[in-house]
């Protein structure tokens, strides 16, 4: 078997369903499998998997064992030459794995491959590629120096700003939302360090891969949506775990003075507080107009009834997927993409093409009765049932 996709889920039932549907489409021409590990979700994630995807391997943990252990359990059941650690709040394109596997096969001393990640609004997520967060690099991040002088090499290391978003190349650290590597390498390293509950596990694994003489790569030729934050509420518990995670990484890999440790502790506390604040939902304008891209003429009427606002219909049998001059209108517009007729790749490309235009996007996954999406990376996503 060529590829095993391991998805660790915790209370994101609808995003999980969307993710699995996209992965199934991407594995159609690949000898692969999907392994879903559930960390004792209290929603109906497992019931949905058993009903909707009975053929997929589902591992049900009796407790929330954290990100590292949950993924290690999944990989232990995997059979592929390669494994892909994938977040449940992601959407892959139909050609994502074909492209990434071809790239992986062409590399010598391959470590981990990551991809271009965007949020639910089509905006690039800078954590797609990162540098080693040494104490100094982490300091430049916490103080926002990378924003002040983004092209200054000394300040641009945290987000590997030496490498353009649209250029593939070697990087030090990749994010756990999408990590593809050989299963043997993962096993040789012992997988994710289970002493870390979450948040620095991907940094630690990436760093250990580098220490083995392997190379990690950022691959820009495919884009994956990462709705980001769906599995985590950024509250006081988040702050505590984030601090613990960063302390874990520094104690494991770096020797620093007591004074510097104190400074870093204060900095980490400040940084995690800012992350918690940014994670709170922000007030936003509700869409006043909806545009549905589909070929189902009856769906627009149903959407109008559910959303209680008029839904303009674009018939994809006769029209191209374009947006008219409505973009220049200040009225908030939401684009509804019917996955029965719009592929996952087209959804992703569409969102990237029209990012920062005052639009929001939702996908109607094929064979489902809900709309799903997220306007940006600082808020939890939205699910609208259309039954």
């Amino acid at each position: 078997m060529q590829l095993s996709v391991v998805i660790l889920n915790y209370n994101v039932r609808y995003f999980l369903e969307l993710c699995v549907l996209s992965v199934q489409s991407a594995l159609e021409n690949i000898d692969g499998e999907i392994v879903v590990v559930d960390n004792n979700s209290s929603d109906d994630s497992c019931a949905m998997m058993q009903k909707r995807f009975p053929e997929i391997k589902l591992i049900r943990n009796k407790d929330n064992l954290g990100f590292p252990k949950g993924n290690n359990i999944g990989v232990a059941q995997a059979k592929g030459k390669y494994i892909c650690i994938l977040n449940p709040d992601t959407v892959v394109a139909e050609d994502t794995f074909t492209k990434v596997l071809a790239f992986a096969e062409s590399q010598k001393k391959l470590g981990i491959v990551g991809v271009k990640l965007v949020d639910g609004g089509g905006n690039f997520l800078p954590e797609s590629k990162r540098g080693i967060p040494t104490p100094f690099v982490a300091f430049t991040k916490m103080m926002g120096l990378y924003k002040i002088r983004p092209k200054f090499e000394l300040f641009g290391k945290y987000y590997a700003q030496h490498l353009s978003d649209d250029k593939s190349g070697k990087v030090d650290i990749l994010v756990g939302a999408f990590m593809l590597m050989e299963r043997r390498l993962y096993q040789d390293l012992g997988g994710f360090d289970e002493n870390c509950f979450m948040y620095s596990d991907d940094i630690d694994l990436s760093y250990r891969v580098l220490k083995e003489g392997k190379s990690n790569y950022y691959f820009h030729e495919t884009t994956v949506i990462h709705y980001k934050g769906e599995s985590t509420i950024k509250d006081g518990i988040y702050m505590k775990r984030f601090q613990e995670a960063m302390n874990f990484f520094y104690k494991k890999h770096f020797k620093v003075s007591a004074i510097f440790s104190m400074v870093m502790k204060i900095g980490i506390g400040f940084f995690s507080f800012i992350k918690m604040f940014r994670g709170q939902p922000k007030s936003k304008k509700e869409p006043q107009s909806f545009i549905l891209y589909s070929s189902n003429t009856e769906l627009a009427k149903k959407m109008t009834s559910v959303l209680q606002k008029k839904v303009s219909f674009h018939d994809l049998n006769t029209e191209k997927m374009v947006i008219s001059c409505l973009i220049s209108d200040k009225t908030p517009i939401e684009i509804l993409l019917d996955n029965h007729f719009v592929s996952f790749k087209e959804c992703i490309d569409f969102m990237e093409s029209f990012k920062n235009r005052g639009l929001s996007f939702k996908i109607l996954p094929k064979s489902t009765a809900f709309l799903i999406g997220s306007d940006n990376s600082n808020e939890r996503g939205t699910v609208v049932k259309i039954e």
Side-chain angles (χ1 to χ4, degrees):
M1 184 176 291
Q2 191 176 19
L3 176 64
S4 296
V5 181
V6 178
I7 304 171
L8 177 65
N9 177 69
Y10 182 65
N11 286 333
V12 286
R13 171 252 189 272
Y14 291 101
F15 283 93
L16 174 64
E17 185 171 357
L18 172 63
C19 177
V20 171
L21 285 169
S22 74
V23 172
Q24 280 187 326
S25 296
L27 290 178
E28 281 189 3
N29 298 314
I30 295 173
D31 180 17
E33 66 173 351
I34 302 171
V35 179
V36 173
V37 183
D38 185 80
N39 258 349
N40 195 32
S41 295
S42 58
D43 62 11
D44 64 340
S45 292
C46 291
M48 179 277 295
M49 286 298 304
Q50 291 174 327
K51 181 179 180 180
R52 185 80 197 269
F53 309 104
E55 75 285 0
I56 289 178
K57 184 177 295 183
L58 173 64
I59 301 171
R60 303 179 67 167
N61 293 331
K62 295 181 180 180
D63 297 294
N64 182 2
L65 302 177
F67 185 89
K69 191 169 185 176
N71 276 297
N72 289 346
I73 288 172
V75 174
Q77 296 291 317
K79 300 176 181 177
K81 175 185 176 182
Y82 292 93
I83 56 150
C84 179
I85 303 298
L86 187 69
N87 266 30
D89 53 353
T90 57
V91 180
V92 301
E94 283 78 3
D95 60 357
T96 289
F97 295 126
T98 300
K99 286 184 174 181
V100 176
L101 286 170
F103 177 80
E105 288 284 342
S106 69
Q107 304 305 318
K108 295 180 179 179
K109 295 185 178 181
L110 177 73
I112 305 171
V113 182
V115 296
K116 184 179 183 182
L117 299 171
V118 298
D119 66 15
N123 302 293
F124 177 74
L125 291 173
E127 60 267 27
S128 300
K129 52 182 181 65
R130 292 176 290 177
I132 299 170
T134 61
F136 176 75
V137 171
F139 177 79
T140 64
K141 159 66 177 174
M142 288 186 289
M143 295 298 105
L145 299 178
Y146 71 100
K147 293 181 180 179
I148 299 173
R149 296 287 301 276
K151 295 184 179 180
F152 185 43
E153 184 178 353
L154 199 59
F155 293 164
K157 290 185 177 181
Y158 189 89
Y159 286 128
Q161 289 169 288
H162 69 282
L163 189 66
S164 168
D165 305 347
D166 294 316
K167 183 177 180 181
S168 299
K170 292 182 180 181
V171 295
D172 294 325
I173 306 297
L174 295 163
V175 66
F178 186 110
M179 302 178 90
L180 185 138
M181 63 191 298
E182 289 192 3
R183 180 165 59 96
R184 180 179 298 179
L185 175 59
Y186 186 96
Q187 292 173 327
D188 288 346
L189 290 169
F192 289 108
D193 190 331
E194 295 180 10
N195 291 311
C196 178
F197 189 80
M198 62 192 309
Y199 297 129
S200 69
D201 31 55
D202 48 3
I203 299 174
D204 174 66
L205 182 62
S206 298
Y207 188 62
R208 284 188 285 129
V209 165
L210 295 178
K211 291 173 71 175
E212 290 294 314
K214 306 290 185 178
S215 296
N216 296 328
Y217 292 92
Y218 164 73
F219 181 68
H220 85 282
E221 293 181 31
T222 186
T223 302
V224 170
I225 300 173
H226 181 203
Y227 287 108
K228 191 181 176 185
E230 298 312 317
S231 300
T232 304
I233 300 175
K234 295 177 173 59
D235 55 10
I237 295 176
Y238 170 88
M239 279 182 61
K240 183 175 183 295
R241 286 180 177 167
F242 184 81
Q243 291 183 54
E244 290 173 349
M246 295 307 296
N247 286 331
F248 163 81
F249 181 73
Y250 288 129
K251 287 180 180 179
K252 181 175 179 178
H253 296 291
F254 296 99
K255 293 182 179 180
V256 295
S257 67
I259 294 176
F260 194 83
S261 294
M262 184 178 296
V263 172
M264 286 304 299
K265 184 176 182 179
I266 295 172
I268 290 170
F270 174 76
F271 182 44
S272 58
F273 176 79
I274 293 299
K275 287 179 74 67
M276 183 186 71
F277 178 77
R278 288 177 178 173
Q280 300 304 315
K282 297 179 180 180
S283 59
K284 62 179 181 180
K285 295 181 179 179
E286 292 297 323
Q288 298 301 310
S289 178
F290 294 84
I291 301 176
L292 170 66
Y293 286 92
S294 178
S295 291
N296 184 343
T297 55
E298 294 299 314
L299 189 58
K301 296 179 182 177
K302 188 173 185 179
M303 293 290 191
T304 298
S305 175
V306 171
L307 299 170
Q308 298 184 337
K309 290 184 176 67
K310 181 174 175 55
V311 177
S312 301
F313 177 67
H314 285 237
D315 190 343
L316 295 180
N317 284 326
T318 58
E319 303 177 52
K320 292 184 178 180
M321 204 160 55
V322 297
I323 294 181
S324 65
C325 60
L326 286 172
I327 289 179
S328 62
D329 192 338
K330 292 184 179 181
T331 302
I333 300 174
E334 184 155 280
I335 308 301
L336 310 177
L337 301 164
D338 184 357
N339 182 228
H340 288 87
F341 305 98
V342 184
S343 71
F344 289 112
K345 180 176 173 58
E346 289 172 328
C347 289
I348 296 168
D349 290 345
F350 194 73
M351 291 162 64
E352 276 199 285
S353 298
F354 293 99
K355 63 185 178 184
N356 299 323
R357 303 285 188 92
L359 303 172
S360 57
F361 306 89
K362 282 191 176 66
I363 297 174
L364 171 62
K366 50 192 171 185
S367 303
T368 68
F370 62 88
L371 293 163
I372 191 166
S374 175
D375 293 348
N376 60 69
S377 60
N378 291 322
E379 69 170 23
R380 294 184 67 87
T382 303
V383 176
V384 179
K385 297 181 182 180
I386 59 173
E387 293 178 313

